[in-house]
Amino acid sequence: MSASPTPFWDLSVSDLLQALGTTPEGLTTTEARTRLEQHGANVLRPRMRTDSLMLLLGQFKSPIILILVFAALVSFFLHDPTDALIILAIILVSGGLGYWQERGAADAVEKLLAIVRATATVLRDQRATDIPVEEVVSGDIVTLSAGASIPGDCRILESRDLFVDEAALTGETYPVEKVPGRLGPDTPLSQRTNSLFLGTHVISGTATALVVLTGRTTEFGAVSDRLKLRPPETEFEHGIKRFGYFLMEVTMILVIAIFAVNVYLDRPVLESFLFSLALAVGLTPQLLPAIISINLAHGAQRMAREKVIVRRLSSIENFGSMNVLCSDKTGTLTEGVVRLHATLDVAGTDSDKVFRFAYLNAFFETGFLNPIDAAIRSARQLDVSAHEKLDEVPYDFVRKRLSILVAREGRALMITKGALANVLSVCAHFEEPDGSTAALDNARGRIDAQFAALSAQGLRALGVAYRELGSTHVITKDHERDMTFLGLVVVADPPKADALATINQLRQLGVTLKIITGDHHLVAASVGRQVGLTALEVLTGPALRQMSDEALCQRVSAVDLFAEIEPNQKERVILALKKAGHVVGYMGDGINDASALHAADVGISVDSAVDVAKEAADIVLLEKDLGVLVRGVRDGRRTFANTLKYVFMATSANFGNMFSMAGVSLFLPFLPLLPKQILLTNLLTDFPEMTIAGDAVDPELIAQPRRWNIAFIRKFMLTFGLLSTVFDYCTFAALLLFLGATEAQFRTGWFVESVVSASLVVLVIRSRRPFFKSVPGPWLLVATLLVAVVTAALPFTPLAAVFEFVALPPSFLIAVGAIVSLYVVAAEWLKHAFYARTGDKLR
């Protein structure tokens, strides 16, 4: 459908429906599918297919690999076609393995993300249907309620007390009221009150809307190229990038120098060029991106088995590094099933009238569903057929009140329920148990004392008030005044039976729990004490409002409980904790949690959360339970530990072997290894490292948060790379000086030593423990031993001639075996000394 020259907010609804080829009853499934195929998915950026040709080609995007392919093709025509084909075959096998692993990982992650996919409720075939947001098309009729994300640019058909947060698009801090209507063509974006926009979400109220634009054709899509849509780079991603650049710099300097020296020594230019490029392949961690993707995907799958869904893979590192977790108490520390405890009048006695008025308020409420109203409705059933609902002013996070206007026998009655202080602020009178009324000031002391006593018991108390409005049929917020206070609704949400044990587990994992709640500080403190947060330091919202950012940063680490917190203060607490040097997780599931979820190092939500919270989260729990989170933290740390193992492996034996090869090539009258032999060495040593994602992890690597530290890894690389180089030169000396190896025997002997030693040392450096006290994963152990056996046997097979290897005499094999054994023992000793001197700098 071509876009109308008249802006959609300026068209009549009938004209707009006609232009979009739809009706108020929505589209048929067939028509919607056709539109989806024609115009594409409702996304700002097309999703790359994991089974596309681009994923395969991506395995060969390294400039060094491309140059090597080109050089091999030149060699094919000018030099030795057999060698060129072998080199190309090795490159293709390596790329094919990376493609196969990455494709499987990406497919697995896509399936996991589908579990927590955001949905929209649309009318299809004249009935309400929940579909993934990306399948919404122009012409769909959507129904919206509090917490829903707007699935496209829409025109409002019907609305009821609709308020929308448009901060992501307009920067407007406060929710904007939206109503049906028709506006002029020049109405600016911030004043289009009849329209809804992709990237915003409903704060309160309900609406039915017509989707006009989707994906990149929306207002949000039009500015998406100028917006920073990609989430900020995590510390781990940044560290990997810097580490890659560091190795590339070392590689290029070394390779250029080696090539220049070989040419200076009058060695064949093409062979020297191929040798230098093959050396670069050996030095460059070209598998690093693939290994990290595979490792993170395996970690995400493991976490999914623990009911933790990772929406952004790179957040796993932050999850493992997290040392402060901020969470609401409801549903995480408490049962999350609110039960009505009592309905009390001002004298503190049970009151049927308070219950009846609270029941009417909860029964007729249609805005944001909340557990307190559900608890009131389920406590006891009342016959309300004699009452007629006239109007409603829904709950919002500024007023913290909900007002319902009902009529009985022609008389209108407004009933208001909400936070006690906010209800009392609109009351002028109170009602005694005998039905008489008096000025509220005469009862304030009694009410406050009653509230404090209930709060100290961990019970939550809400105020109920009413106002007679005669023949009024419509109410607004302005009617909430001169009300009569009736009494308190008291609800209980007891702590979970296992909350204390779970918090202790988090503490043992080095994660400090901080409670952020809107509840009264006495209620929050009571729950905190019940779950083991002794010696509580409490900071309230009003006190926080008076503090400067600098003062908050100084105090925030010591505070255990933030109570009476406004939604906009959550983000401020998170940012202060980050500024104080913590890696902060925030667990939220509400409408106003999106900004705090974005601000946290790792945003955590639950599958039952509102869409806007799930979309803002990095990690989604399938159950709102800290026990699930504890298991997820362990798996996140296991994934992080295994990722770092590959980094350590890639920077120790492999780097040392390539450095040795570069050095010895300057003194030998021949190349120490042929280009195809170097590439085979690199391929074989990569096999064990591809299985690292399933490796076992020592408990001490999970016990505390660990962080990326490139200085520590560089020191590790230099230390163990130097050790590898020392034993390589021992091999050179043994082969040349003591065994009198020929050119072919030298290459074969060193090939066997370098691959076997690089494979076996993996079992040493994968753990801080002695290698015989840390059992590796079965796949890693099998792959390592298999590569060692295949490498030792290769010179005695028909493939030896292809790679120009020769069978080695027993004396050579004994010498190589002795050097490898000494190398493993030395690596174990050096590992102990290294960690004793440096400690664990990743903490």
Side-chain angles (χ1 to χ4, degrees), residues 504-780:
N504 284 334
Q505 287 177 330
L506 280 172
R507 192 177 293 120
Q508 290 166 8
L509 288 169
V511 179
T512 301
L513 178 68
K514 295 185 183 293
I515 301 174
I516 302 180
T517 178
D519 286 353
H520 191 272
H521 68 276
L522 292 175
V523 177
S526 173
V527 173
R529 284 190 294 271
Q530 291 179 64
V531 298
L533 299 181
T534 55
L536 280 172
E537 171 131 7
V538 181
L539 182 63
T540 64
L544 178 60
R545 200 176 300 118
Q546 305 300 317
M547 296 178 71
S548 67
D549 289 341
E550 291 74 17
L552 179 60
C553 282
Q554 292 295 321
R555 190 178 172 193
V556 70
S557 297
V559 176
D560 304 297
L561 195 154
F562 299 86
E564 302 171 33
I565 294 296
E566 301 290 341
N568 59 356
Q569 292 179 319
K570 295 177 182 179
E571 182 179 9
R572 191 176 171 212
V573 171
I574 301 297
L575 293 174
L577 284 165
K578 289 174 67 176
K579 194 172 181 180
H582 300 286
V583 178
V584 185
Y586 177 77
M587 188 170 176
D589 62 355
I591 298 169
N592 283 283
D593 286 323
S595 60
L597 287 165
H598 275 300
D601 291 299
V602 52
I604 306 164
S605 193
V606 291
D607 193 32
S608 58
V610 297
D611 281 348
V612 67
K614 284 199 292 187
E615 290 170 1
D618 301 304
I619 289 172
V620 177
L621 309 183
L622 298 184
E623 291 181 5
K624 191 174 184 181
D625 183 1
L626 282 181
V628 172
L629 193 68
V630 168
R631 295 192 293 272
V633 167
R634 288 198 181 103
D635 271 321
R637 292 182 183 174
R638 185 175 292 111
T639 300
F640 179 47
N642 279 339
T643 304
L644 284 178
K645 285 179 189 178
Y646 172 77
V647 174
F648 290 150
M649 293 170 189
T651 56
S652 54
N654 289 1
F655 187 84
N657 284 344
M658 295 303 123
F659 190 79
S660 302
M661 194 181 311
V664 77
S665 69
L666 304 180
F667 307 104
L668 290 177
F670 54 86
L671 292 177
L673 284 180
L674 297 174
K676 58 187 175 185
Q677 295 169 342
I678 297 175
L679 294 177
L680 182 62
T681 300
N682 194 48
L683 178 64
L684 289 173
T685 53
D686 279 339
F687 265 105
E689 293 161 0
M690 281 185 169
T691 65
I692 200 68
D695 189 27
V697 176
D698 297 334
E700 59 267 24
L701 298 182
I702 299 174
Q704 294 294 322
R706 306 173 82 231
R707 303 176 72 171
W708 175 269
N709 184 333
I710 193 168
F712 177 81
I713 294 170
R714 187 188 296 119
K715 187 179 295 184
F716 188 98
M717 178 188 75
L718 294 174
T719 301
F720 286 87
L722 180 62
L723 178 70
S724 176
T725 299
V726 167
F727 276 88
D728 282 338
Y729 278 95
C730 290
T731 303
F732 301 155
L735 292 173
L736 294 173
L737 301 180
F738 296 104
L739 298 174
T742 64
E743 184 176 319
Q745 287 176 330
F746 177 88
R747 288 170 176 162
T748 304
W750 189 40
F751 166 79
V752 172
E753 186 274 336
S754 62
V755 175
V756 172
S757 63
S759 300
L760 293 181
V761 82
V762 166
L763 303 180
V764 175
I765 63 178
R766 56 169 291 277
S767 169
R768 290 187 60 184
R769 298 180 176 187
F771 72 90
F772 50 85
K773 291 186 178 180
S774 177
V775 179
W779 287 111
L780 176 62

Side-chain angles (χ1 to χ4, degrees), residues 821-837:
S821 300
L822 287 173
Y823 174 50
V824 170
V825 171
E828 183 62 50
W829 174 84
L830 183 62
K831 178 181 71 175
H832 176 77
F834 177 81
Y835 283 115
R837 186 176 71 253

